[in-house]
Amino acid sequence: YVYSKNEMKLLHRYVLKETLLTTMLTLSVFVFILMAGNVIKDILGLLLSNVLPFGVFFKLMSLLIPYVMVYALPFALLTGVLLTLGRLSASSEITAMKSTGVSLFNITLPIFLLAIVSADVSGFINFYYAPKARTEYKEMRNRVVLDNPLNFLQAKRFINVFPNYSIYIGEKDGNELKDFWIWELDDQKRVKLFLRANEGSLIYNKKTQTLLLTLLDGTGEHRPDADPEDLQDNTNPVVSFQKLPIELPLAHLLGKVKARKKANMMTVNELLDEIEREDLVEPMGEKSMKLRMQVHQNGAMAFASISFVLIAIPLAIRVGRKETMVNVVIALLLAIVYYFIMNMASWLSQYPHIRPDIIVWIPNVVYCIIGLVMFRRVNRY
């Protein structure tokens, strides 16, 4: 039996529809997971502290989508192909198609076309859209924080947005505070200093980007540095104070302010211009190599859609499992190995003489070679 032209179109449409639907579902899940981690880390504390209005919060969330899409899109396509072809192989649909004389390449042609489209979309996101969105995200978050710095401290609520501090205020009237409690924590989150004041005031220093707390009429207790929880050996009893200033920096919330953008916040044109300037100072130096690394990493991550598909197609058919968990685990293992090798290359950016910008392409090369070998073998049977 030979498929007619219309039947081949139906076959291609069926394979494309199944793969595309599965990929979109997995993409939504991965984007949600990656966004949740960034939201909890970056802006959830600002929302709970009433620093971010809900409208700005959701705007910032939307600006995170291009940033996480850099990683989510290739991984979603990899998982989608494994799930789709794994199910088709387990139900012998792939075997039935090949028995009519249709080659594996012809069967999976829509998937390769989908991979090419995915690589193009990823390239646009990685080189242009994600850096611009990341820059706008940083600027908007910092602007909101600096416009409302005094909103960090709210009455009758524990505030944990400052590193190594936990704060509680009984009452707040503008800049005036009453019934103020503050716990300074060590790296293991153990209380090493406890302060309580009846009154206090709050001032924002725009020049140093710090909140200056001035505590009045209070007491303090310093715990042992070796073991803050061992109160029996506490040689520092409770002391009283009339006035005590404390500075709370906002720098960790805003990120380090630099005159120049980070490499991952530059578009490809900005990166190339910056590389040209750095090469005038030190050709192929460490700074220049870090910029080159970003260019090649963006390109390699975009091409990952193709290399992932190339290895996923024969692997899914060879394994032939329709269980979702099995295919997700396989996709996860492939992604972990890929990103681990790429991160190893980024660690070598301080050694420009070994060309780590070229090393970032090794995972794609390895996956493509393995994929081609496996594809050829699977196509024989």
Side-chain angles (χ1 to χ4, degrees):
Y1 181 80
V2 179
Y3 280 94
S4 65
K5 188 175 181 179
N6 289 333
E7 288 174 330
M8 283 303 302
K9 287 183 179 180
L10 289 174
L11 175 63
H12 287 162
R13 192 179 305 167
Y14 170 69
V15 174
L16 178 61
K17 177 184 175 182
E18 293 294 318
T19 306
L20 185 59
L21 178 61
T22 308
T23 300
M24 294 304 294
L25 289 174
T26 54
L27 178 62
S28 62
V29 174
F30 296 148
V31 167
F32 174 79
I33 293 174
L34 294 174
M35 278 188 60
N38 283 274
V39 167
I40 293 173
K41 177 184 175 182
D42 275 358
I43 59 178
L44 184 60
L46 302 180
L47 177 68
L48 297 178
S49 300
N50 291 334
V51 176
L52 289 182
F54 275 102
V56 177
F57 177 75
F58 288 115
K59 173 65 175 177
L60 289 173
M61 285 185 61
S62 68
L63 291 173
L64 281 174
I65 294 177
Y67 177 68
V68 301
M69 283 284 284
V70 172
Y71 306 94
L73 185 54
F75 187 30
L77 183 59
L78 168 65
T79 309
V81 172
L82 286 170
L83 288 172
T84 301
L85 294 186
R87 179 180 60 80
L88 294 179
S89 179
S91 60
S92 301
E93 292 186 58
I94 297 292
T95 303
M97 296 174 191
K98 291 176 63 179
S99 65
T100 61
V102 181
S103 67
L104 181 60
F105 176 77
N106 205 348
I107 295 172
T108 57
L109 179 61
I111 298 179
F112 283 111
L113 296 177
L114 182 61
I116 294 173
V117 173
S118 175
D120 289 338
V121 173
S122 293
F124 173 75
I125 293 174
N126 298 359
F127 283 115
Y128 294 100
Y129 192 32
K132 289 184 177 181
R134 190 65 175 169
T135 301
E136 185 178 352
Y137 170 86
K138 291 281 188 180
E139 292 176 349
M140 180 179 292
R141 189 192 64 170
N142 293 358
R143 186 167 57 249
V144 171
V145 171
L146 293 177
D147 287 344
N148 304 280
L150 302 184
N151 286 350
F152 277 105
L153 303 182
Q154 296 292 320
K156 301 187 184 302
R157 178 179 295 172
F158 284 94
I159 300 103
N160 299 302
V161 295
F162 299 98
N164 298 327
Y165 285 101
S166 182
I167 300 171
Y168 178 84
I169 302 172
E171 296 181 25
K172 180 184 177 187
D173 184 10
N175 293 354
E176 302 301 318
L177 314 173
K178 291 185 178 182
D179 191 19
F180 187 92
W181 303 61
I182 182 168
W183 296 264
E184 185 177 355
L185 312 175
D186 63 11
D187 294 337
Q188 300 180 37
K189 303 302 180 183
R190 299 177 301 182
V191 177
K192 64 179 184 179
L193 177 64
F194 166 65
L195 300 172
R196 183 179 181 185
N198 293 326
E199 297 181 3
S201 62
L202 181 65
I203 300 175
Y204 171 58
N205 189 327
K206 188 174 183 180
K207 184 177 181 180
T208 60
Q209 293 185 352
T210 58
L211 294 179
L212 179 61
L213 287 170
T214 303
L215 306 184
L216 305 173
D217 187 20
T219 58
E221 177 187 354
H222 186 272
R223 304 286 178 83
D225 292 333
D227 186 2
E229 296 179 350
D230 186 6
L231 302 182
Q232 293 181 352
D233 293 337
N234 191 353
T235 58
N236 299 290
V238 176
V239 295
S240 301
F241 59 85
Q242 293 298 319
K243 184 177 182 180
L244 179 64
I246 298 177
E247 283 192 348
L248 299 174
L250 298 178
H252 76 286
L253 297 170
L254 304 177
K256 294 181 180 179
V257 179
K258 297 184 178 180
R260 293 158 63 180
K261 290 182 180 178
K262 291 183 178 180
N264 63 358
M265 297 171 63
M266 295 182 185
T267 63
V268 64
N269 294 329
E270 292 172 331
L271 285 168
L272 294 177
D273 291 341
E274 194 68 22
I275 289 172
E276 186 176 351
R277 283 192 290 268
E278 290 294 340
D279 281 343
L280 293 176
V281 179
E282 183 183 2
M284 296 298 292
E286 184 176 341
K287 292 183 179 179
S288 174
M289 182 53 63
K290 288 182 178 180
L291 296 168
R292 282 185 166 85
M293 285 282 295
Q294 188 63 48
V295 174
H296 284 271
Q297 189 172 16
N298 289 343
M301 287 297 300
F303 191 82
S305 295
I306 296 176
S307 58
F308 278 171
V309 162
L310 197 55
I311 196 172
I313 290 175
L315 188 60
I317 297 173
R318 178 66 66 86
V319 175
R321 300 293 294 270
K322 62 181 179 180
E323 294 90 344
T324 300
M325 186 56 64
V326 173
N327 290 288
V328 170
V329 170
I330 294 174
L332 184 60
L333 291 175
L334 289 172
I336 289 175
V337 172
Y338 182 93
Y339 296 135
F340 177 75
I341 298 175
M342 183 166 286
N343 284 332
M344 284 184 61
S346 65
W347 299 336
L348 299 174
S349 61
Q350 56 185 322
Y351 306 106
H353 60 281
I354 64 175
R355 296 304 302 270
D357 54 329
I358 305 299
I359 295 177
V360 298
W361 288 94
I362 288 180
N364 284 317
V365 174
V366 172
Y367 278 28
C368 285
I369 293 174
I370 295 175
L372 286 171
V373 172
M374 291 181 62
F375 193 95
R376 184 177 179 183
R377 292 181 178 177
V378 171
N379 192 42
R380 292 175 181 175
Y381 302 101

